[in-house]
Amino acid sequence: MNPMEKNKWPPGDLVIWIFIMAELLTFGVFFSVYAFTRANHVELFNTYQLTLDRNAALINTLALITSSYFVVRAVSAIRKDNSKRCFHWLLGALFMGVVFLAVKSMEYNHHFSHGVNLNTNTFYMFYLSLTVFHFLHVILGMIILSAVALKARAGGYSAQEHTGVETGASYWHMVDLVWMVLFPLVYVMR
């Protein structure tokens, strides 16, 4: 089989795409319920949205966009049969994931130290539920990318066989995509 034929759509393993579609459906339902509830409690949502740190959210947006770029570079490197460069790009993506988790943790610490929890009000219930659910997906994505990076470092992928790299990349891009909807929906829209 021609190595280029392995790069057909969808990249990675088909099972990850089934998982990704299920995850996107779950987030889609969650976002729809959030939007419906927000439309019925505009003043409450607008008031408490102002308590969120948009600068932190912007830093996190940039961290995830950068990490996705690094993942794209990792896929490109392995397609050129360069495991070492693939590994280094994946490390960069993982570092940006750590930045995301650290900034988000500081945000949570701020809110929790001020007594915010799921029962505070409807806005915070959605904010915490959506962002913690996404936070857990970032952690899972980092575990997947770590496993892919370790295998790449050991020379486990090549230009001819790199399905694992594409599978991890696909999941990571889903995590990034969800944040690209979550960020404006929760932090920006008024």
Side-chain angles (χ1 to χ4, degrees):
M1 177 181 276
N2 180 341
M4 292 308 291
E5 288 181 32
K6 288 199 173 237
N7 296 327
K8 289 185 178 182
W9 189 257
D13 190 76
L14 182 59
V15 173
I16 198 66
W17 285 98
I18 294 168
F19 184 68
I20 286 170
M21 292 304 152
E23 292 290 83
L24 289 176
L25 178 63
T26 303
F27 272 107
V29 168
F30 217 158
F31 291 155
S32 298
V33 172
Y34 173 89
F36 177 79
T37 305
R38 186 186 202 297
N40 290 303
H41 303 282
V42 174
E43 190 173 317
L44 173 85
F45 277 61
N46 283 348
T47 298
Y48 287 98
Q49 185 183 54
L50 294 175
T51 67
L52 301 182
D53 188 342
R54 287 186 183 169
N55 291 326
L58 180 59
I59 290 167
N60 275 342
T61 301
L62 295 173
L64 286 182
I65 290 170
T66 303
S67 71
S68 276
Y69 170 74
F70 291 165
V71 167
V72 167
R73 298 295 299 167
V75 171
S76 177
I78 201 60
R79 285 181 179 169
K80 294 174 184 169
D81 215 18
N82 192 332
S83 290
K84 184 177 179 181
R85 189 164 275 159
C86 175
F87 171 72
H88 287 127
W89 284 115
L90 290 171
L91 285 183
L94 287 164
F95 175 76
M96 298 312 292
V98 169
V99 169
F100 179 92
L101 295 178
V103 170
K104 197 78 200 123
S105 293
M106 286 187 284
E107 248 188 294
Y108 289 143
N109 184 53
H110 170 77
H111 290 298
F112 295 150
S113 70
H114 286 87
V116 171
N117 61 54
L118 288 171
N119 297 318
T120 300
N121 61 41
T122 305
F123 173 79
Y124 281 125
M125 185 271 299
F126 275 105
Y127 164 75
L128 290 172
S129 298
L130 281 168
T131 60
V132 167
F133 192 48
H134 180 264
F135 188 93
L136 295 173
H137 282 75
V138 171
I139 292 170
L140 177 58
M142 290 176 67
I143 290 168
I144 291 168
L145 289 184
S146 295
V148 171
L150 290 174
K151 187 171 178 179
R153 183 176 184 203
Y157 299 111
S158 68
Q160 292 72 36
E161 180 49 59
H162 53 269
T163 303
V165 179
E166 290 180 337
T167 299
S170 297
Y171 184 82
W172 190 254
H173 292 315
M174 183 273 300
V175 170
D176 192 14
L177 173 66
V178 167
W179 181 259
M180 293 307 129
V181 175
L182 199 155
F183 169 61
L185 187 66
V186 173
Y187 287 86
V188 180
M189 284 180 55
R190 302 207 29 92

